[in-house]
Amino acid sequence: MQTTVTLERIEQDAYVREVLPHSFEVWNDGRTFDRYVDDFRTVASSTYAKRRPFTMGLLENGKLVTSCKNYDRELRWESSSLRATGIGAVFTPPLLRGRGYATAFLGAHLDAERDAGRDLAFLYSDIHPAYYARLGFIALPSRVVTIRAESLDGRAIGARAVEDADWAGIRRCFDALDRQRPWSLRRTPLVWNWMRARWNAPAREGTQAVHLVVRRARSVVAYAIGRRVLRSDMFVIDDFAFDGDEGRALVPALLRMAAGDLRRVGGWLPPPLARETLPRGSVRPRTEAVLMVAPLSGLGRSWWAQTHDATLAARSDATWSADHV
Ligand SMILES: CC(C)(COP(=O)(O)OP(=O)(O)OC[C@H]1O[C@@H](n2cnc3c(N)ncnc32)[C@H](O)[C@@H]1OP(=O)(O)O)[C@@H](O)C(=O)NCCC(=O)NCCS
């Protein structure tokens, strides 16, 4: 029989039925299956994910053999904008592995993204990066940091829980810091909505979401978003930013307040400028979620040629854990 192989969009219900029962074993992260499905549907139904096919797969004779998720992002490089595609959850069911399906799928997918005018692709590898390196992806420094909470400033700084009305100020605060970096993944309003939907999802068992903000007059001068993870005795940072010298000086106390009675503060090593507000701590390479990029267009290649030395040598990571796809 002749074999027909096609690259196709996978509808939400088909993905829930055909992929999630298998991928649950790898990515459940302590959740029940129902919660795993709910979390997927929250993102897949958001305006952000609906802008383009969110779940894609390779079909062989009509049967789904491998799949991934696609995240639409922009990369700001100084004042230029590059179109980026974030690839997540690359998955082949166990019985079909080792036959070249994921390699063929990713090759075809990158070609299609290049043809559609995308400048680069990125992903966070949970497996050995050599696999994606063979497809043209380059690994960027990806580390975790752990800091003793008591090494942070213990002053009271007037921080309080984030309220809905704070988000516009939080965005301005983020932008004020972010635009000082040579390049970053841009946070459009849709991207913020996607991040907020994830942060506002009910907390996993044994974790408490902590979203703190410090305002001065009408401005947000600093904020921190993360989770208190009781079994790790740690406040895990997803995101923080500050505006100006006053905000910068408040960050350690803000993180200490977020940690409460937990002994540690940590998470992905924050990007430049944010990282410098923290004590040195203990820094280790990540074995999971290793950031990898693949330039696809001429502009993508220029960006990488001109930024790779500084990015690879940096003492901080390039993206926030909030950017994880
Ligand atoms: C990784 C994965 C998508 C590969 O799918 P696949 O269709 O079997 O891929 P291919 O047949 O194209 O390539 C197989 C090769 O993948 C590589 N590979 C598989 N798992 C790997 C791992 N943990 N680390 C590094 N390489 C790995 C091996 O080189 C393997 O070759 P081998 O069979 O000769 O050992 C599949 O193993 C999977 O779904 N794993 C669980 C989910 C996951 O971790 N996905 C990656 C998210 S970043």
Side-chain angles (χ1 to χ4, degrees):
M1 189 181 84
Q2 202 187 342
T3 304
T4 317
V5 178
T6 50
L7 188 68
E8 286 183 26
R9 168 192 208 132
I10 311 298
E11 295 303 332
Q12 200 185 119
D13 289 342
Y15 192 86
V16 167
R17 207 172 46 239
E18 293 182 38
V19 179
L20 295 190
H22 302 289
S23 67
F24 176 66
E25 282 174 31
V26 187
W27 289 306
N28 67 67
D29 198 16
R31 288 171 287 179
T32 62
F33 183 66
D34 287 348
R35 174 65 200 279
Y36 184 63
V37 172
D38 284 350
D39 286 350
F40 165 73
R41 286 199 188 276
T42 302
V43 176
S45 310
S46 66
T47 319
Y48 170 62
K50 281 185 167 158
R51 285 220 307 192
R52 58 194 291 254
F54 180 55
T55 39
M56 298 284 299
L58 190 77
L59 278 77
E60 186 181 72
N61 294 334
K63 179 182 165 197
L64 180 62
V65 290
T66 186
S67 57
C68 76
K69 296 178 190 164
N70 284 312
Y71 294 82
D72 191 28
R73 296 294 301 263
E74 274 170 42
L75 185 143
R76 179 194 55 77
W77 172 33
E78 304 297 356
S79 56
S80 309
S81 236
L82 280 71
R83 297 181 66 203
T85 189
I87 299 177
V90 180
F91 190 84
T92 303
L95 292 175
L96 301 176
R97 288 183 193 158
R99 301 185 193 177
Y101 286 133
T103 303
F105 169 56
L106 289 168
H109 184 45
L110 292 179
D111 284 347
E113 292 296 299
R114 184 185 292 109
D115 291 349
R118 302 259 156 197
D119 298 303
L120 72 140
F122 67 94
L123 55 78
Y124 293 92
S125 177
D126 288 340
I127 60 174
H128 197 290
Y131 178 71
Y132 295 111
R134 285 198 288 274
L135 285 154
F137 284 89
I138 305 143
L140 271 54
S142 302
R143 294 154 288 200
V144 284
V145 61
T146 308
I147 296 160
R148 279 185 308 113
E150 66 180 24
S151 70
L152 298 167
D153 184 355
R155 260 177 324 149
I157 51 167
R160 59 161 175 77
V162 169
E163 294 165 7
D164 278 351
D166 293 317
W167 284 101
I170 286 174
R171 279 172 41 193
R172 279 193 292 276
C173 179
F174 177 86
D175 287 344
L177 181 65
D178 195 60
R179 63 174 164 253
Q180 298 174 49
R181 301 172 50 204
W183 69 267
S184 61
L185 290 172
R186 181 174 270 150
R187 296 227 187 137
T188 61
L190 276 182
V191 168
W192 275 106
N193 287 348
W194 160 65
M195 289 180 176
R196 283 180 61 189
R198 295 197 306 184
W199 293 332
N200 290 334
R204 312 236 168 120
E205 209 179 309
T207 72
Q208 298 159 346
V210 182
H211 304 168
L212 293 178
V213 65
V214 186
R215 296 195 80 117
R216 296 288 183 253
R218 294 168 63 82
S219 301
V220 167
V221 288
Y223 73 88
I225 307 282
R227 293 155 279 141
R228 291 161 49 89
V229 181
L230 308 184
R231 93 185 117 74
S232 319
D233 208 2
M234 185 189 282
F235 172 69
V236 178
I237 302 164
D238 282 319
D239 201 46
F240 69 81
F242 55 87
D243 191 358
D245 291 341
E246 188 196 353
R248 179 186 300 112
L250 296 173
V251 168
L254 188 60
L255 296 177
R256 174 140 184 199
M257 181 176 167
D261 57 0
L262 300 181
R263 287 173 40 215
R264 306 189 299 166
V265 169
W268 291 18
L269 194 63
L273 303 174
R275 197 280 176 256
E276 284 83 65
T277 62
L278 305 179
R280 183 186 293 248
S282 130
V283 175
R284 283 175 293 116
R286 292 204 299 269
T287 49
E288 291 187 336
V290 174
L291 175 60
M292 301 187 78
V293 295
L296 299 176
S297 71
L299 182 58
R301 283 188 290 277
S302 303
W303 159 71
W304 185 240
Q306 290 182 49
T307 56
H308 79 269
D309 280 354
T311 304
L312 296 178
R315 295 163 60 98
S316 23
D317 282 8
T319 60
W320 288 99
S321 92
D323 290 307
H324 189 195
V325 296

